[in-house]
Amino acid sequence: EEMKLESIRLFAIDKIGWIRKQQIKFRRQVREVPREALPRESHYLWGQRYLLQVKTTESKSMAEIRHREIWLCVPQGTPQEKRLEILEAWYRQEVKSSAARLLLKWEQRLGLKIEKVFVRKMKTKWGSSNPEKRTIRLNTELAKKPLECLEYVLVHELVHFIDHTHGEIFTQHLNMYLPNWKSLKSIMNEEVSLFGS
């Protein structure tokens, strides 16, 4: 029993640097203030801050950029959850269409062919890939970061089709194709909240 505890203690000591690094990383992660889809609320698209305007419409619900505002057009009395769903769907579409344009460029440069790109809200990742199925998943929240961050995540996931790990070959490819990837990665995890009111 004492030997087991000693092994655990040595393991923890060995990993203390990594643990501290993860704790700092976690504390620095942006914590988004919960949105309520109310007028004059701050929302972000591609790293730019916009004020939300909720407008009444008799036609189809939608969201769009008008000057420095996001107009959320909904029927009178639309509940908060529905307003948030419409905004979420709009962000998802923004990521989908921007990713499609970027994918054309990067598939050609890397000599790859992707079957499908999925966009959905993810709690812990910006993106993931499945080289066997030739698919990529992107986080809807990328729509709130600068467009270059979406490009970084897309290229990161595409490079996994060449090297499944995060090892030396993977890093060499990122350095070659996207030399500023480290600064983009730090923008994505920066302390300064893009989501404050």
Side-chain angles (χ1 to χ4, degrees):
E1 186 67 35
E2 199 174 302
M3 188 63 181
K4 206 174 183 182
L5 284 172
E6 183 60 16
S7 295
I8 292 167
R9 192 179 75 78
L10 289 171
F11 178 79
I13 288 167
D14 184 49
K15 298 292 180 192
I16 197 77
W18 181 86
I19 291 166
R20 285 201 176 119
K21 213 163 129 184
Q22 297 308 309
Q23 286 172 328
I24 290 164
K25 206 165 145 183
F26 181 76
R27 280 195 296 271
R28 284 184 175 168
Q29 280 181 342
V30 171
R31 298 285 175 260
E32 183 178 356
V33 177
R35 301 284 115 197
E36 297 177 55
L38 296 172
R40 311 286 304 155
E41 194 174 63
S42 290
H43 286 261
Y44 285 79
L45 179 67
W46 306 125
Q48 299 294 313
R49 180 175 176 261
Y50 295 89
L51 288 180
L52 185 69
Q53 295 298 339
V54 180
K55 303 288 182 184
T56 303
T57 182
E58 296 304 316
S59 58
K60 190 175 177 244
S61 297
M62 59 173 275
E64 65 180 4
I65 295 288
R66 292 210 186 164
H67 307 292
R68 298 298 299 152
E69 298 175 333
I70 296 173
W71 279 29
L72 177 60
C73 304
V74 291
Q76 182 85 35
T78 300
Q80 178 188 355
E81 305 92 58
K82 185 66 182 165
R83 291 195 309 262
L84 288 167
E85 273 176 35
I86 294 159
L87 275 174
E88 184 74 19
W90 178 66
Y91 277 124
R92 190 178 305 112
Q93 191 51 51
E94 285 288 326
V95 173
K96 265 187 183 174
S97 57
S98 294
R101 285 191 300 273
L102 288 166
L103 193 58
L104 284 173
K105 165 186 165 182
W106 286 103
E107 278 181 323
Q108 203 170 21
R109 283 185 78 178
L110 296 168
L112 296 169
K113 186 70 186 132
I114 305 309
E115 290 300 317
K116 190 138 178 73
V117 174
F118 299 95
V119 180
R120 65 184 180 94
K121 199 156 191 171
M122 294 188 261
K123 286 185 179 174
T124 59
K125 292 180 174 182
W126 290 112
S128 65
S129 56
N130 185 329
E132 291 76 37
K133 292 185 177 177
R134 308 201 72 69
T135 60
I136 289 176
R137 291 188 189 282
L138 298 170
N139 193 332
T140 307
E141 294 295 296
L142 283 164
K144 298 173 185 177
K145 296 287 186 177
L147 190 58
E148 296 83 5
C149 292
L150 171 63
E151 186 167 33
Y152 158 65
V153 174
L154 190 63
V155 173
H156 177 111
E157 297 309 332
L158 285 167
V159 172
H160 277 309
F161 286 69
I162 299 163
D163 180 7
H164 302 302
T165 71
H166 286 112
E168 198 178 321
I169 293 168
F170 177 86
T171 305
Q172 284 172 359
H173 276 85
L174 272 185
N175 287 337
M176 182 169 55
Y177 291 113
L178 213 60
N180 64 336
W181 72 270
K182 286 179 185 171
S183 63
L184 293 171
K185 185 178 179 182
S186 68
I187 288 169
M188 296 181 67
N189 298 313
E190 69 190 355
E191 212 168 331
V192 180
S193 174
L194 287 175
F195 307 108
S197 293

